[in-house]
């Protein structure tokens, strides 16, 4: 297995997604610099071992992309037995379970780049974990359905802009086209 992405969360813990060995958390210990390493894997009821990338939303929830099982929202707890996990797949409305990349914008929309089926936006209402998926693909003007990177930004009018790279070019979505 190899590390596919790294993230330091707002508490200072380090997170590592891997391709084949699930998710690792290096929890800092105030007493020493060694910390504690925790592994989350399928055999212990984690959603997938083949992970591509992750992002943290403004509430501290991790969003994790898998190679073959959609995405997962993950809220770690003090001990790994009480973590909260919600999995989103084609069954819940995503265009594909094969995810290449994801990002979270300032409104906590989760932007999901699939390997072959374009871009999805997951919009969650307050307190609702079901959410609504909106699809963007070649039919909606995306240069390719293979999304390689997503970057949310803000313009000078404080509007959300989404930069999307694909295997066939760079795409730009403004807030008036993303609502």
């Amino acid at each position: 297995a190899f590390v596919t992405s790294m993230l330091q969360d707002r508490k200072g813990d380090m997170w590592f997604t891997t391709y084949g060995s699930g998710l690792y958390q290096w929890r800092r210990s105030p007493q020493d610099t060694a910390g504690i390493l925790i592994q989350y894997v399928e055999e212990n009821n984690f959603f997938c071992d083949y992970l591509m990338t992750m992002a943290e939303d403004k509430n501290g929830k991790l969003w994790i992309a898998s190679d073959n099982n959609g995405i997962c929202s993950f809220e770690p707890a003090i001990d790994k037995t009480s973590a909260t996990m919600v999995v989103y797949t084609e069954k819940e409305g995503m265009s594909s379970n094969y995810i290449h990349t994801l990002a979270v914008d300032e409104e906590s929309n989760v932007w999901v780049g699939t390997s072959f089926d374009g871009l999805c936006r997951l919009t969650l209402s307050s307190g609702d974990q079901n959410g609504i998926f909106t699809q963007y693909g070649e039919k909606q003007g995306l240069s390719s359905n293979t999304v390689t990177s997503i970057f949310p930004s803000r313009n000078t009018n404080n509007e959300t802009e989404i930069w999307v790279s694909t295997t066939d070019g760079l795409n730009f979505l403004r807030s008036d086209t993303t609502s």
Side-chain angles (χ1 to χ4, degrees), residues 6 8 11-12 16 23 29 59 68 90 116 120 122 138 141 145 173:
M6 297 179 274
Q8 184 174 28
K11 294 179 292 187
F16 308 92
L23 178 69
S29 173
N59 299 314
N68 58 359
E90 291 173 2
F116 308 106
C120 298
L122 172 59
E138 290 176 358
N145 280 334
L173 302 170

Side-chain angles (χ1 to χ4, degrees), residues 19 42 47-52 65-71 89 96-99:
Y19 197 83
E42 283 183 62
F47 91 111
C48 187
D49 286 345
Y50 295 88
L51 307 176
M52 302 303 289
S66 77
D67 184 37
N68 58 359
N69 199 31
I71 64 172
T89 64
S96 174
N97 288 336
Y98 297 91
I99 311 305

Side-chain angles (χ1 to χ4, degrees), residues 3-107:
V3 173
T4 54
S5 72
M6 297 179 274
L7 178 143
Q8 184 174 28
D9 69 18
R10 61 192 69 237
K11 294 179 292 187
D13 289 354
M14 291 297 299
W15 294 88
F16 308 92
T17 57
T18 70
Y19 197 83
S21 294
L23 178 69
Y24 286 86
Q25 175 188 15
W26 182 71
R27 185 176 291 156
R28 293 190 184 274
S29 173
Q31 291 78 23
D32 62 56
T33 57
I36 301 165
L37 187 63
I38 300 169
Q39 183 182 22
Y40 301 89
V41 292
E42 283 183 62
E43 97 181 24
N44 293 329
N45 298 316
F46 191 65
F47 91 111
C48 187
D49 286 345
Y50 295 88
L51 307 176
M52 302 303 289
T53 192
M54 68 188 137
E56 183 181 21
D57 69 19
K58 64 184 176 185
N59 299 314
K61 185 184 298 183
L62 293 180
W63 290 90
I64 304 166
S66 77
D67 184 37
N68 58 359
N69 199 31
I71 64 172
C72 168
S73 70
F74 185 72
E75 295 180 77
I78 302 295
D79 60 75
K80 73 178 190 176
T81 60
S82 61
T84 303
M85 183 173 49
V86 179
V87 178
Y88 300 88
T89 64
E90 291 173 2
K91 181 180 174 186
E92 287 74 34
M94 289 185 43
S95 60
S96 174
N97 288 336
Y98 297 91
I99 311 305
H100 193 221
T101 187
L102 63 74
V104 181
D105 66 23
E106 289 187 19
E107 288 84 29

Side-chain angles (χ1 to χ4, degrees), residues 107-169:
E107 288 84 29
S108 292
N109 293 306
V110 181
W111 294 88
V112 181
T114 69
S115 297
F116 308 106
D117 294 300
L119 178 71
C120 298
R121 180 187 65 194
L122 172 59
T123 305
L124 298 168
S125 300
S126 181
D128 180 19
Q129 66 183 22
N130 294 329
I132 299 169
F133 282 98
T134 306
Q135 316 292 335
Y136 302 89
E138 290 176 358
K139 290 180 181 177
Q140 291 77 28
L142 209 59
S143 60
S144 168
N145 280 334
T146 302
V147 176
T148 57
S149 185
I150 304 167
F151 186 81
S153 65
R154 298 293 247 185
N155 65 20
T156 55
N157 295 324
N158 205 29
E159 298 167 319
T160 299
E161 300 174 329
I162 305 298
W163 294 87
V164 181
S165 65
T166 71
T167 54
D168 198 28

